[in-house]
Amino acid sequence: MKYFLVLERTLLFYVIITILYRFMGKREVGELSILDLIVSILIAELAAIAIDKYNESILLAIIPMLALVVIQIVIAKVSLKNGDVRSVLEGEPSVIINRGMVDFEVMLKQRYNLDDLLTQLRSQGIRSIEEVDYAILETSGKLSVFVKNNKRNGEYPLPVILDGKIQDEVLVQINKSKEWLEEALEEEKVVSKDVFYAFYRNQKLFLIRNQSVK
């Protein structure tokens, strides 16, 4: 009898967890943020406990699962609208290789060693650091690599403004000042807080305005 109950609960939680993850949105395992990973682990643990303790009410697991999903959805919506909240919860991408030069200070800050860098480069078919123009460590831990002289001519587009927030570190990388950026925005008759995304590429600034701005 208990084997049937365990099997029944296993199938039930399989369906429940599948539905819950559909509500939380589609993301690949390698793209999970720290918060996503924590929620996933907690949901899995709650399901395991509920299956093991088959004599207890199933609501003892379902209620905290639903609470976790609601919290995750609320935080995701807040993070989408507030870049500061997103930075605190998920961190920011880090430029590991900038114009062919390895930034060891950034690597040290991210606790990312040379073996990690070389391993991820090899996994993408890159034999040497010299082949790389830019390498960016994403918040998911994945390394995005842009090789030199690739088919897409021009430099990697560097984000100057994200969700209305000026990226000071990027301005330093492209040797530009805030005054330069403000003048460029003034020419477009827009202020930084009304810019959804602005990037610098091939000596030019490209803007994408917030859709809510008329």
Side-chain angles (χ1 to χ4, degrees):
M1 181 63 179
K2 66 179 182 179
Y3 298 109
F4 175 76
L5 290 174
V6 170
L7 178 60
E8 182 182 45
R9 287 203 169 197
T10 300
L11 295 176
L12 178 60
F13 276 105
Y14 174 81
V15 174
I16 291 173
I17 293 174
T18 300
I19 294 173
L20 292 179
Y21 272 84
R22 291 284 292 174
F23 276 108
M24 288 194 296
K26 297 179 180 179
R27 299 188 73 174
E28 295 180 7
V29 173
E31 296 177 349
L32 293 179
S33 66
I34 294 175
L35 192 60
D36 293 328
L37 183 59
I38 292 172
V39 171
S40 299
I41 292 173
L42 288 175
I43 288 177
E45 187 66 22
L46 287 168
I49 293 173
I51 293 172
D52 183 55
K53 298 182 178 181
Y54 53 86
N55 290 323
E56 296 184 0
S57 173
I58 197 172
L59 292 177
L60 293 175
I62 293 179
I63 291 174
M65 281 183 179
L66 291 175
L68 287 171
V69 171
V70 171
I71 292 172
Q72 171 68 3
I73 292 173
V74 171
I75 292 178
K77 289 185 177 181
V78 172
S79 298
L80 184 63
K81 297 180 179 180
N82 192 313
D84 292 332
V85 173
R86 184 168 59 253
S87 297
V88 171
L89 294 176
E90 299 185 4
E92 296 181 353
S94 302
V95 180
I96 301 296
I97 300 178
N98 185 6
R99 296 179 182 176
M101 300 294 293
V102 179
D103 193 328
F104 291 102
E105 290 186 4
V106 173
M107 291 180 63
L108 181 62
K109 182 179 178 181
Q110 298 296 327
R111 298 178 182 84
Y112 191 78
N113 59 48
L114 192 58
D115 286 338
D116 295 329
L117 176 60
L118 294 175
T119 298
Q120 292 214 40
L121 291 178
R122 287 194 297 269
S123 69
Q124 300 189 42
I126 298 173
R127 295 169 292 182
S128 173
I129 294 177
E130 285 73 19
E131 298 179 27
V132 180
D133 193 15
Y134 287 92
I136 301 171
L137 185 63
E138 308 292 355
T139 56
S140 64
K142 180 181 178 181
L143 190 70
S144 298
V145 181
F146 301 84
V147 298
K148 297 177 180 178
N149 299 321
N150 60 359
K151 294 181 180 179
R152 291 180 293 180
N153 295 325
E155 298 180 348
Y156 169 72
L158 295 171
V160 177
I161 300 176
L162 292 174
D163 290 340
K165 183 179 179 181
I166 298 174
Q167 307 298 301
D168 295 321
E169 293 182 359
V170 175
L171 288 176
V172 173
Q173 292 176 28
I174 63 177
N175 297 317
K176 299 293 184 181
S177 64
K178 279 190 175 181
E179 289 73 18
W180 166 84
L181 179 58
E182 289 173 357
E183 290 178 2
L185 294 175
E186 188 176 349
E187 291 180 3
E188 297 292 333
K189 298 180 180 180
V190 66
V191 293
S192 60
K193 67 178 183 179
D194 294 332
V195 177
F196 176 69
Y197 178 50
F199 63 91
Y200 184 79
R201 183 177 184 181
N202 295 337
Q203 309 299 318
K204 293 182 181 180
L205 183 67
F206 299 86
L207 303 176
I208 299 177
R209 304 171 189 243
N210 281 320
Q211 293 182 356
S212 58
V213 178
K214 296 182 180 180

